[in-house]
Amino acid sequence: MTTVQERPAGEVGAARKRKEDARLITGRTMWTENITLPGMLHLAILRSPMAHARITRVDTSAALREPGVVTAFSGRDVADTQGSLPCAWPVTEDMVHPDHPPLAVDEVRHVGEAVAVVVARDRASAVDALAVIEVDYEPLPVVLDMEDALAEDARLVHADKGTNKAYTWVFDSGEAGTGQGVDAAFAGAEVVIKRRYIQQRLIPAFMEPRSVVVDPTGDQHTIWSATQIPHILRVMVALVTGTPEHKVRVVAPDVGGGFGGKLQVTAEELIAFMAAQRVGKPVKYTESRSDSLVSAHHGRDQIQDVELAARRDGTVLGLRVNLLANMGAYLGIVTPGVPLLGAFMYNAIYKFPAYRFVCTGVFTNTTTTDAYRGAGRPEATYAIERLMDELAVELDMDPVEVRRRNWIKHDEFPFDTVAGLTYDSGNYEAATDKALELFGYEALRAEQASRRESGDPVQLGIGVSTYTEMCGLAPSRVLGALRYAAGGWETASIRVLPTGKVEVVTGTSPHGQGHETAWSQIVADRLGVPFEDVEVLHGDTRTSHKGLDTYGSRSLAVGGIALVNACTKVIEKARPVAAHLLECDVSDLEFADGAFRVRGAPSDAAGKTIADCAFAVFAAHDMPDGVEPTIDADATYDPGNFSFPHGTHLCATEVDAETGRVTIRSYVAVDDVGRVINPSIVEGQVHGGVAQGIAQALFEEAVYDGEGNLLTGTFIDYTPPSAADLPDIVSDRTETPAPDHPLGAKGVGEAGTIASTPAVINAIVDALRPYGVSDIRMPATPERVWQALRGGARS
Amino acid sequence: MIPAAFEYTKPSTVDEAVRALAEGGEDARVLAGGQSLIPMLRLRMAAPTLLVDLGGLGELRGVRDDGDALVIGAMTRYADLLRDPLVRDHAPLLAQATATVADRQVRHLGTIGGSLAEADPAGDLPSVAVALDVSFEVVGPGGWRTISAADFFVDFLTTALGDGEMLGALRVPKQDGWGTHYEKFSRVAQAWSIVGVAVAVRRENGTIAEARVGLTSMGNRPLRARAVEEALAGAPATAEAVSSAAARAAEGADPPTDVWASAEYRSHLATVLTRRAVVAAGGIHAS
Ligand SMILES: Cc1cc2nc3c(=O)[nH]c(=O)nc-3n(C[C@H](O)[C@H](O)[C@H](O)COP(=O)(O)OP(=O)(O)OC[C@H]3O[C@@H](n4cnc5c(N)ncnc54)[C@H](O)[C@@H]3O)c2cc1C
């Protein structure tokens, strides 16, 4: 175990206000939609109203005659050149990987699929002209349900593939040598809990709709896009379109949220690219909210058949997971891999020795699914945390006690898990104790007992959820072993300007996370420069040449290490310069409090700062022999392991037994994300994440009708909650440093989303137990709760 | 999305507005706060060729005391109603229901006239209007006439307004001496009702002398829960009497099934919410 460096007193750990917020909150910044270029044209997209149909005819000629229209074309017009949207994660060798044309050619396979486009001088003319494009559809049978799709004589989403099964991926601890075989574990079990949980389909619902501008007029084709992944997009555009990579520049300007929903190489980006090339002028496309809800990728949508084996003393012996994962109609950039990110997390914080996971990816005539905040890990955590509660009930044990009996103790780290990972560090005891105390667990249990006793029509429920997650995606060798096409390293560059100001270029691509602030805090401490003197640049392949962008709670956990390493290199490059200026030997110098001084000199003795060295190399009049006149440095870091934050969330719900209305009365989140760079950013991430997890538990679901029409195609129907629907969140922390990170930091981007959904559902089910209810479908709408109460009462 | 192209006019008197509507013919539409109409235009579910914006008609905005009733101009915004002392003192049910509509932004633009003319059975004010027997003062090529609340709401999104007619004002009977309550149940805080119940109750001694109950989202138009009203008339002001009367709330209703709730659940909710609303309006204590 490596030791963690002491936290420097200073910026790191301070609740700095975020530098980027003034411009983000006022909107006075460059969003993609704000970009206007000389001669720019506007694109509108005609989308399929059918979930599955053959396209027998598309006629765009009438659109060409509409005022302002410059060009119009359909998939057939570009069939030979448009290429196929990429999937970078073929999880098995024999995975079925259908073509995914940006514009549908002969067949549409979900409502909302792009069919034809119009490019016009203004946006309204482009939209108007869509109305006169004629498309003849010949309906084909629709398959929506995953189990139907896997049936013998199923209707096929991709007829030429002969199956709706994309892949089956298996992990077995017995076979992998990471634990025992599950069959033996189940054979020896005293208790077996078997359940089916449904992870409903969700829509990421980022605030800024997707938008793209393509300018084909320069030496480089420039793509501005509201994306999380400008670097990956550049590589993919080059590969898909055949444009040489050095002729493509991608810029992610300020981006208004993503939650995984903008971790995609989208049809719209490639369509805009094609359109711009066709007309030789800049082209802009910004989706409407209605377009976004039906065409941007969705998340979750899994059926989880899970089985837990245990002894009557509460010791868990093994877990079987049989998963169906809805791919939607096509495979997005990491669609097949999302459930696999969960595969490593079903064992959660527990020590049980046997585990088997089987996942089958299934095609249906629905919008493609892909990463959504947590990506696989919320689903896994939900299943195991629901099962632990069921086990507690079965054994008549407190749900916290059942967890305590199974979790890894703080002195057992690093811990090799049954799923084959090595958990770096953690202290589940401390986080749980703190959460119980803040929550007032005992008092609430007492109140619950008395309300049950009195038959109160409003029942109290208490939900427990513990979690860990793998952050810091990802060690490249692990990704390689999982057949992912890219690596998981990250880069940082530091340029110290002649006046001592610092430019930091990061390969991460923030879209609301606050990297500019956190990175400035880190650099300020490391180089001894003021926070305000650091400028963080990102998201433009012209300034940030390399990077793997932002998702999977990786930016600080991986990119932060690259940043610290780059700082260290700057100091090392400045050292001979400072020694020369101070006329001493390099080995006599130490760097502290922002300056090089002769070792042993008092801290107020004159020294040479990084700024002094930067000016010296700029002038370069008097450099030591053989020393390069620069102190700028780059670093690229590939993590050796993931990082594993954890926490305990507790939720108290009040359930109105008459109406089924669930109200969250109190919510406590104690998270351990290692050392914290900026507590208010961490708190913001936790609050937002908890809100999104509560949204899955109580409010949101993408619903299709029998023909594959999205019924929740507006926010009015999709019902994302607002602040008025959410509780006050008490959030606190314990700090167990990450041993592999020089700052001790882990990731925090997804924690809240992962922990909160099972906390809320466990609380609802706990409230309903006296009525004989042992499960509730998500989202637990008032009507579902009411139905469960009626069903429970009947049984 | 972007609406289809349309002509736009903003008259400054009611006469001009009526003339503009007549000239525009079938494809002319009145624009009030735009909080229902603009989304429809943007989704291209409506494509009028002329919008007659009533935003310039000061004479249709505001609340006036007219003896036993308040006269409220059709262009009075939700936010105006919430601030108005006459509404607070004499039509508190209207104020309470208005406060549950959507969010602040919508309430600063949406109007009482637009809300009623839209005749959305899920809207919160239509059920209040039928519960209170509001009269609708409408104006058109043939001048002014009055339509009763019972006659105004014809069907889903359909009113008794004739060709070229528009809503000018509402006559809201004062509820002095009545207890009132609006009970709204929605999926998220800022949304339409799954079910809403508007109640006005007049008590005499220990009994409920008279009760009026309007239902939101329980049919193709705002409904009166007549069976409940009959059961309550003359009933003792007790929790038991209210419960048994409220159990009849869904009688004769034909609630929709949609993505928010089933008809069955709505019927159930109507009984629970009606009980709660009558209890609150009548100041009835658990016995
Ligand atoms: C996000 C959101 C949430 C909402 N939530 C709710 C809610 O919880 N409860 C609720 O009740 N409503 C809700 N609404 C609808 C809102 O109340 C609308 O404001 C109202 O339905 C229409 O009023 P308006 O003044 O905006 O009318 P407009 O949208 O301008 O017009 C609506 C219709 O009425 C016609 N019209 C308007 N004025 C007149 C007139 N004087 N004479 C004849 N015809 C006229 C128009 O031609 C149009 O057909 C919501 C709206 C939004 C956008």
Side-chain angles (χ1 to χ4, degrees), chain B residues 136-193:
Chain B
F136 292 68
E137 317 258 311
V138 309
V139 58
W144 288 84
R145 66 180 178 120
T146 301
I147 307 176
S148 72
D151 293 338
F152 185 79
F153 299 104
V154 174
D155 202 344
F156 184 71
L157 306 186
T158 309
T159 67
L161 285 171
D163 287 346
E165 274 187 329
M166 60 181 221
L167 185 54
L170 291 315
R171 249 188 103 78
V172 182
K174 289 182 180 173
Q175 292 120 54
D176 303 357
W178 291 67
T180 59
H181 187 79
Y182 188 69
E183 186 76 24
K184 173 165 175 166
F185 196 92
S186 57
R187 279 279 270 116
V188 287
Q190 298 168 358
W192 276 267
S193 294

XYZ file of all heavy atoms in Angstrom, chain B residues 136-193:
452
model
N -70.131 33.311 -17.760
C -69.144 33.671 -18.771
C -69.706 34.767 -19.661
O -70.708 34.568 -20.330
C -68.794 32.432 -19.620
C -68.047 31.372 -18.842
C -68.671 30.667 -17.816
C -66.725 31.077 -19.133
C -67.987 29.691 -17.101
C -66.030 30.117 -18.423
C -66.650 29.420 -17.399
N -69.078 35.925 -19.637
C -69.512 37.035 -20.479
C -68.696 36.986 -21.756
O -67.483 37.137 -21.710
C -69.249 38.359 -19.773
C -69.623 38.363 -18.306
C -70.944 39.062 -18.059
O -71.112 40.172 -18.571
O -71.817 38.467 -17.381
N -69.381 36.746 -22.847
C -68.638 36.586 -24.102
C -69.079 37.648 -25.097
O -70.198 38.155 -25.041
C -68.807 35.164 -24.700
C -68.518 34.107 -23.654
C -70.184 34.965 -25.278
N -68.172 37.984 -25.997
C -68.446 39.040 -26.969
C -68.061 38.560 -28.361
O -67.089 37.838 -28.524
C -67.709 40.349 -26.572
C -66.207 40.114 -26.469
C -68.000 41.465 -27.566
N -68.880 38.948 -29.327
C -68.612 38.531 -30.695
C -69.276 39.475 -31.666
O -69.728 40.557 -31.258
N -69.368 39.064 -32.914
C -69.972 39.924 -33.931
C -71.371 40.360 -33.525
O -71.819 41.460 -33.861
C -70.031 39.045 -35.174
C -69.044 37.941 -34.936
C -68.930 37.759 -33.459
N -72.083 39.524 -32.757
C -73.441 39.861 -32.357
C -73.509 40.591 -31.027
O -74.579 40.675 -30.434
N -72.387 41.079 -30.513
C -72.382 41.791 -29.237
C -72.133 40.853 -28.062
O -71.604 39.762 -28.228
N -72.507 41.303 -26.870
C -72.226 40.554 -25.642
C -73.372 39.609 -25.312
O -74.527 39.914 -25.563
C -72.041 41.509 -24.463
C -70.743 42.286 -24.525
C -70.526 43.437 -25.212
C -69.518 41.937 -23.884
N -69.226 43.856 -25.046
C -68.577 42.940 -24.224
C -69.092 40.886 -23.060
C -67.265 42.932 -23.773
C -67.790 40.879 -22.599
C -66.877 41.897 -22.961
N -73.035 38.436 -24.737
C -74.057 37.553 -24.170
C -73.437 36.794 -23.000
O -72.215 36.814 -22.806
C -74.617 36.583 -25.221
C -73.603 35.567 -25.735
C -74.230 34.619 -26.779
N -73.206 33.690 -27.290
C -73.288 32.361 -27.179
N -74.335 31.789 -26.583
N -72.319 31.600 -27.653
N -74.281 36.147 -22.223
C -73.809 35.439 -21.029
C -74.072 33.943 -21.175
O -75.165 33.542 -21.616
C -74.535 35.980 -19.782
O -74.277 37.376 -19.688
C -74.046 35.283 -18.520
N -73.073 33.155 -20.834
C -73.234 31.694 -20.872
C -73.003 31.172 -19.449
O -72.055 31.616 -18.782
C -72.213 31.034 -21.827
C -72.271 31.682 -23.221
C -72.443 29.526 -21.928
C -71.233 31.148 -24.204
N -73.809 30.231 -19.009
C -73.614 29.683 -17.659
C -72.461 28.680 -17.681
O -72.129 28.106 -18.723
C -74.881 28.989 -17.185
O -75.033 27.775 -17.901
N -71.907 28.455 -16.504
C -70.793 27.495 -16.417
C -71.252 26.117 -16.880
O -70.503 25.382 -17.537
C -70.271 27.428 -14.984
N -72.459 25.771 -16.556
C -72.966 24.443 -16.930
C -72.999 24.288 -18.446
O -72.807 23.183 -18.974
C -74.356 24.228 -16.348
N -73.236 25.389 -19.157
C -73.329 25.303 -20.615
C -72.007 25.579 -21.324
O -71.837 25.231 -22.498
C -74.360 26.326 -21.137
C -75.756 25.957 -20.698
O -75.983 24.757 -20.382
O -76.610 26.865 -20.632
N -71.081 26.260 -20.623
C -69.873 26.736 -21.314
C -68.971 25.591 -21.757
O -68.438 25.577 -22.868
C -69.093 27.699 -20.407
C -67.907 28.328 -21.089
C -68.080 29.403 -21.964
C -66.616 27.856 -20.872
C -66.989 29.984 -22.603
C -65.528 28.433 -21.518
C -65.712 29.497 -22.382
N -68.778 24.610 -20.865
C -67.853 23.514 -21.173
C -68.602 22.407 -21.886
O -69.452 21.734 -21.304
C -67.200 22.991 -19.887
C -66.400 24.043 -19.182
C -66.893 24.666 -18.040
C -65.169 24.445 -19.686
C -66.160 25.653 -17.397
C -64.430 25.437 -19.043
C -64.927 26.045 -17.901
N -68.316 22.220 -23.171
C -69.106 21.322 -24.006
C -68.465 19.947 -24.088
O -69.123 18.918 -23.975
C -69.275 21.924 -25.412
C -69.964 20.942 -26.353
C -70.051 23.231 -25.324
N -67.156 19.930 -24.298
C -66.468 18.653 -24.500
C -64.980 18.907 -24.259
O -64.584 20.024 -23.920
C -66.720 18.151 -25.931
C -66.518 16.635 -26.060
O -65.903 16.038 -25.154
O -66.954 16.067 -27.073
N -64.166 17.880 -24.478
C -62.722 18.006 -24.327
C -62.207 19.160 -25.189
O -62.414 19.166 -26.408
C -62.064 16.681 -24.738
C -60.571 16.657 -24.542
C -60.027 16.617 -23.262
C -59.716 16.674 -25.625
C -58.650 16.590 -23.076
C -58.346 16.645 -25.447
C -57.814 16.609 -24.170
N -61.602 20.155 -24.577
C -61.062 21.331 -25.278
C -62.101 22.029 -26.153
O -61.753 22.647 -27.160
C -59.830 20.961 -26.136
C -58.668 20.231 -25.461
C -57.491 20.085 -26.440
C -58.179 20.949 -24.198
N -63.363 21.922 -25.783
C -64.417 22.524 -26.600
C -65.386 23.311 -25.713
O -65.882 22.785 -24.718
C -65.213 21.435 -27.343
O -64.273 20.581 -28.005
C -66.151 22.032 -28.369
N -65.642 24.581 -26.138
C -66.555 25.434 -25.361
C -67.762 25.811 -26.208
O -67.824 25.498 -27.401
C -65.864 26.741 -24.943
O -65.607 27.501 -26.130
C -64.566 26.477 -24.207
N -68.668 26.526 -25.577
C -69.867 26.990 -26.279
C -69.625 28.300 -27.019
O -70.563 28.892 -27.535
C -71.003 27.151 -25.270
N -68.377 28.758 -27.060
C -68.091 29.987 -27.809
C -68.417 29.773 -29.281
O -68.032 28.765 -29.867
C -66.609 30.358 -27.678
C -66.153 30.964 -26.348
C -64.635 31.073 -26.301
C -66.799 32.330 -26.134
N -69.159 30.747 -29.864
C -69.520 30.631 -31.272
C -68.438 31.200 -32.167
O -67.420 31.720 -31.691
N -68.663 31.115 -33.473
C -67.703 31.651 -34.442
C -67.444 33.129 -34.153
O -68.377 33.904 -34.000
C -68.260 31.529 -35.874
C -68.230 30.080 -36.340
O -67.547 29.270 -35.669
O -68.902 29.774 -37.341
N -66.192 33.476 -34.089
C -65.827 34.882 -33.923
C -66.065 35.415 -32.522
O -65.880 36.599 -32.271
N -66.469 34.533 -31.602
C -66.703 35.003 -30.235
C -65.461 34.816 -29.373
O -64.686 33.876 -29.576
C -67.856 34.219 -29.592
C -69.213 34.799 -29.906
C -70.321 34.102 -29.113
O -70.197 32.889 -28.809
O -71.311 34.780 -28.811
N -65.327 35.684 -28.402
C -64.262 35.485 -27.420
C -64.789 35.768 -26.023
O -65.821 36.405 -25.845
C -63.064 36.370 -27.736
C -63.372 37.848 -27.727
S -61.911 38.799 -28.142
C -62.098 40.133 -26.977
N -64.029 35.229 -25.066
C -64.413 35.398 -23.673
C -63.945 36.765 -23.224
O -62.774 37.123 -23.421
C -63.743 34.284 -22.865
C -64.059 34.136 -21.391
C -65.564 34.023 -21.172
C -63.355 32.893 -20.853
N -64.868 37.551 -22.593
C -64.480 38.898 -22.163
C -64.278 38.988 -20.669
O -63.324 39.594 -20.197
N -65.188 38.374 -19.924
C -65.083 38.494 -18.460
C -65.831 37.353 -17.784
O -66.648 36.663 -18.409
C -65.657 39.828 -18.007
N -65.529 37.182 -16.510
C -66.183 36.154 -15.698
C -66.902 36.842 -14.555
O -66.348 37.747 -13.930
C -65.144 35.197 -15.099
C -64.382 34.254 -16.025
C -65.322 33.602 -17.023
C -63.231 34.938 -16.747
N -68.105 36.393 -14.287
C -68.841 36.876 -13.105
C -68.779 35.774 -12.066
O -69.381 34.719 -12.223
C -70.299 37.102 -13.483
C -70.750 38.527 -13.500
C -72.259 38.586 -13.695
N -72.914 38.881 -12.431
C -72.961 40.096 -11.920
N -72.426 41.116 -12.554
N -73.551 40.293 -10.758
N -68.016 36.054 -11.012
C -67.803 35.042 -9.981
C -68.613 35.413 -8.743
O -68.321 36.431 -8.108
C -66.309 34.951 -9.605
C -66.071 33.861 -8.563
C -65.460 34.701 -10.845
N -69.651 34.618 -8.408
C -70.449 34.940 -7.212
C -69.552 34.968 -5.974
O -68.684 34.104 -5.815
C -71.447 33.780 -7.109
C -71.436 33.108 -8.443
C -70.099 33.372 -9.057
N -69.759 35.957 -5.121
C -68.967 36.019 -3.880
C -69.306 34.823 -2.994
O -70.461 34.412 -2.925
C -69.269 37.313 -3.133
C -68.698 38.548 -3.808
C -68.992 39.792 -2.972
C -68.412 41.027 -3.650
N -68.836 42.264 -2.951
N -68.311 34.292 -2.356
C -68.570 33.148 -1.474
C -68.549 33.561 -0.016
O -68.105 32.795 0.849
C -67.523 32.061 -1.716
C -67.630 31.407 -3.066
C -66.355 31.604 -3.856
O -65.273 31.272 -3.382
N -66.473 32.164 -5.046
N -69.022 34.779 0.265
C -69.066 35.219 1.661
C -69.956 34.247 2.416
O -71.053 33.910 1.974
C -69.620 36.645 1.740
C -68.784 37.615 0.902
O -67.766 37.169 0.321
O -69.156 38.800 0.808
N -69.476 33.759 3.548
C -70.271 32.813 4.341
C -70.067 31.359 3.950
O -70.664 30.470 4.543
N -69.274 31.130 2.936
C -68.975 29.746 2.529
C -67.559 29.374 2.972
O -66.682 30.223 3.023
C -69.065 29.584 1.006
C -70.444 29.702 0.434
C -71.217 30.816 0.401
C -71.194 28.650 -0.177
N -72.426 30.541 -0.206
C -72.433 29.207 -0.571
C -70.961 27.299 -0.423
C -73.431 28.456 -1.203
C -71.942 26.555 -1.058
C -73.169 27.129 -1.434
N -67.381 28.120 3.256
C -66.026 27.612 3.443
C -65.599 26.920 2.156
O -66.414 26.243 1.524
N -64.351 27.124 1.750
C -63.938 26.542 0.460
C -62.577 25.859 0.582
O -61.783 26.155 1.469
C -63.825 27.635 -0.622
O -62.872 28.612 -0.193
C -65.165 28.297 -0.877
N -62.326 24.959 -0.357
C -61.016 24.297 -0.395
C -60.784 23.671 -1.769
O -61.701 23.125 -2.369
C -60.939 23.203 0.675
C -59.561 22.615 0.789
N -58.536 23.242 1.466
C -59.033 21.469 0.291
C -57.445 22.504 1.390
N -57.715 21.421 0.682
N -59.535 23.788 -2.242
C -59.147 23.083 -3.478
C -58.104 22.046 -3.133
O -57.060 22.357 -2.551
C -58.598 24.067 -4.519
C -58.387 23.400 -5.867
C -59.482 22.985 -6.628
C -57.116 23.176 -6.366
C -59.300 22.353 -7.856
C -56.931 22.544 -7.602
C -58.027 22.135 -8.332
O -57.851 21.504 -9.546
N -58.353 20.806 -3.462
C -57.434 19.702 -3.149
C -56.903 19.169 -4.477
O -57.670 18.653 -5.296
C -58.204 18.603 -2.397
C -57.359 17.461 -1.878
C -56.557 17.811 -0.615
O -56.950 18.737 0.121
O -55.531 17.141 -0.399
N -55.595 19.333 -4.672
C -54.998 18.939 -5.953
C -54.031 17.790 -5.742
O -53.265 17.775 -4.785
C -54.245 20.135 -6.554
C -53.431 19.795 -7.803
C -53.028 21.057 -8.541
C -52.113 20.730 -9.723
N -51.973 21.874 -10.644
N -54.038 16.854 -6.652
C -53.128 15.717 -6.576
C -52.434 15.587 -7.923
O -53.086 15.384 -8.950
C -53.921 14.441 -6.270
C -53.070 13.290 -5.807
C -52.834 13.082 -4.458
C -52.501 12.415 -6.725
C -52.048 12.018 -4.024
C -51.711 11.349 -6.310
C -51.485 11.142 -4.951
N -51.112 15.740 -7.920
C -50.397 15.665 -9.205
C -49.147 14.804 -9.061
O -48.706 14.514 -7.960
C -50.024 17.068 -9.677
O -49.242 17.711 -8.692
N -48.582 14.400 -10.184
C -47.397 13.519 -10.173
C -46.170 14.230 -9.646
O -45.420 13.694 -8.861
C -47.118 13.011 -11.599
C -47.949 11.860 -12.010
C -47.394 10.534 -11.459
N -46.445 9.922 -12.385
C -45.163 9.736 -12.116
N -44.659 10.120 -10.973
N -44.373 9.175 -12.997
N -45.933 15.448 -10.162
C -44.854 16.280 -9.646
C -45.459 17.628 -9.289
O -46.583 17.933 -9.688
C -43.695 16.450 -10.664
C -42.885 15.170 -10.790
C -44.213 16.889 -12.016
N -44.709 18.416 -8.546
C -45.278 19.642 -7.989
C -45.803 20.581 -9.071
O -46.868 21.157 -8.935
C -44.235 20.345 -7.131
N -45.031 20.716 -10.156
C -45.428 21.693 -11.163
C -46.072 20.981 -12.341
O -45.470 20.824 -13.394
C -44.208 22.498 -11.603
C -43.640 23.275 -10.422
C -42.281 23.871 -10.692
O -41.715 23.694 -11.748
N -41.754 24.603 -9.729
N -47.295 20.519 -12.136
C -47.943 19.765 -13.216
C -49.448 19.840 -13.062
O -49.973 20.292 -12.055
C -47.500 18.311 -13.165
N -50.100 19.354 -14.100
C -51.553 19.292 -14.073
C -52.011 18.289 -13.017
O -51.263 17.407 -12.609
C -52.073 18.830 -15.440
C -52.205 19.934 -16.412
C -53.315 20.678 -16.663
C -51.189 20.431 -17.300
N -53.046 21.611 -17.632
C -51.764 21.487 -18.044
C -49.854 20.103 -17.521
C -51.055 22.194 -19.000
C -49.149 20.813 -18.467
C -49.741 21.841 -19.199
N -53.259 18.422 -12.639
C -53.847 17.503 -11.676
C -54.049 16.127 -12.297
O -54.493 16.015 -13.439
C -55.230 18.012 -11.252
O -55.116 19.210 -10.545
